[in-house]
Amino acid sequence: MTFEGWAVLGVILLCLVFLLSTSISVDIILFAGLAVIFIAGIIPADQALSGFSNEGMLTVAALYIVAAGLKETGAIQFIVQRVMGNARTVKKAQLRIMSPVMVMSAFLNNTPVVASFIPALERWSRISQIPVSKILIPLSYAAILGGTCTLIGTSTNLIINGLLIEEVSTRTLGIFEPALIGIPCAIAGFIYLFIFGDKLLPVRGSSMDTFKDPREYTIEMIVQENSALSGHTIEDAGLRNLPGLFLIEIQRNERAIPAPGPYEKLRENDRLIFTGIVDSIIDLQQISGIVPATNQVFKLNAPRNERKMIEAVVSRSNPLVGRTIRDGNFRDRYDAVVLAVSRNGERINEKIGDITIKSGDVLLLEAHPNFVQKYRNASDFFLVSSIEDSSPVTYEKAWIAGLSLIAMVGLAATGILSMLQAAIVAGGLLLVTKCFRYSTALESVDWRVLIAIASALGLGSALQYTGAAEHLAINLLAFAGDNPVMALGLTYLATWLLTEMITNNAAAVLIFPIALSLAQSMGVDFMPFAMVMIVAASSSFSTPIGYQTNLMVYGPGGYKFKDFIKIGLPLNLIVAAITVSLVPYIWNF
């Protein structure tokens, strides 16, 4: 191996040391490693920057925009609520998310599945008080395991099948042929995660973090006519266990029901009075079937999905001090609607329009985002700040988002368009139909994940360019001798290690010709080796950088590099043992 190859290996090992021993984010470490290799002149610019033009990385970027459309219209919240239901334990939550995701990923590309579920599961986690770190790794692993069960489940399966088509001495795969080994691995992975997932996964990103803000508001919501919540109990409607938010009263037909119990049934036009923290009030706005009791929200000029929630502290010089919100024509004066008022922990019993504004009151407003720029330095308010991720969900355009997702998956699955092209079409359709604002689309993209993916691809390209990857693979497989079972195990090991170091597709392409030569030299059928490669190239559980869905959940779950090793390495060994043991009996040498 050349000096350049050893240098690349040294840089990658140094990156792994930093990932394991420091709290520096993965994107900074990987980009720094790529920068060192490029600046040292080991690889040219086109190789170093290949990851930033990689179709897989750009597909992830486009899928973030599609996922934002699903989130902003409420489509994915609706799906997740149906999937997760009222799961109140970690095991039940993991069971509910893994089962459908495994099935979906067998027929759909697993990247859009994971991208769509992440934002909705983050919100569901806050409501259910189950840490999001307990469910995002199972989400990613379930998507990976499900993808190994069919020929169309992952791009790696299709790439290996394409290589088999080009090789005249081999046959091609049937669409469900990978299921013969994929299903046993998926079942074993499901059982392992169900038994050990809760114990091995960390507690991070918990919704309990919201209690750091002690300020409480009182807000009124109304059950809409023909609401799906009408006739359901408070508990079934998901209104009882919102963290930091309490339903203190129901007003029904001029009659007050104080401190309603969990089995009280909701009716149309019920006025629900909540008190609680702002984060949970934002979550309350996302629930379909209830709307703010003040009809002023429907009189603002901007569409609801283009607005944000804003906190504003009333100053002494505000002209409305001493007047009620209604008499002061707050909406006309500020082009904003008061949703709730916080006053030094005091409960305010009046309806929103009848509340008399006092200096120091903290108003929770719904307004266009330009409200902040307009009044940040005005004398009317001491402080004005927007609340991130607080755009109200209207659900009117959820069907457009749902159809866009179905069309995207259909176009990609049938081969009419590539996954990237289909994602661009879906994202463009969501923007054209105004399912969300262009600025929201830009904000929804997790640039740090994209930098990490592109940098990891660049490092993988450096391994190939310098010949280090091929050198490692050839030397590893040389240990097989004349034993086909040993050769099968080493093929799995080589593919898996390269998948964790470069990418699953690159690992498969690199190992394929080496494994083919090995099989031919032994005089055995190549199909067992191809099936081992299919599983190994997708079995990236022990690091976040080997598979893009792992990187996508890395930040939102608040994970550290070692979290993946802790729960993923045993799963890698389980899947490897099952694959190497069963493949020779299913596909004979």
Side-chain angles (χ1 to χ4, degrees), residues 501-517:
M501 294 171 67
I502 47 178
T503 67
N504 52 345
N505 292 341
V509 171
L510 192 66
I511 295 294
F512 187 93
I514 301 171
L516 180 62
S517 299

Side-chain angles (χ1 to χ4, degrees), residues 11 41 51 126 199 213 260 281 300 377 417 461 536 555:
V11 169
R126 290 202 298 270
K199 297 176 183 176
D213 182 4
I281 288 177
L300 290 178
N377 298 315
L417 296 177
S461 178

Side-chain angles (χ1 to χ4, degrees), residues 78-93:
F78 178 83
I79 294 170
V80 166
Q81 190 55 47
R82 294 296 180 276
V83 169
M84 302 304 286
N86 291 320
R88 290 287 172 255
T89 66
V90 171
K91 285 190 180 296
K92 281 186 178 180

Side-chain angles (χ1 to χ4, degrees), residues 200-215:
L200 296 179
L201 287 167
V203 178
R204 298 198 192 99
S206 170
S207 59
M208 299 301 290
D209 291 343
T210 57
F211 286 101
K212 292 177 181 177
D213 182 4
R215 183 166 55 252

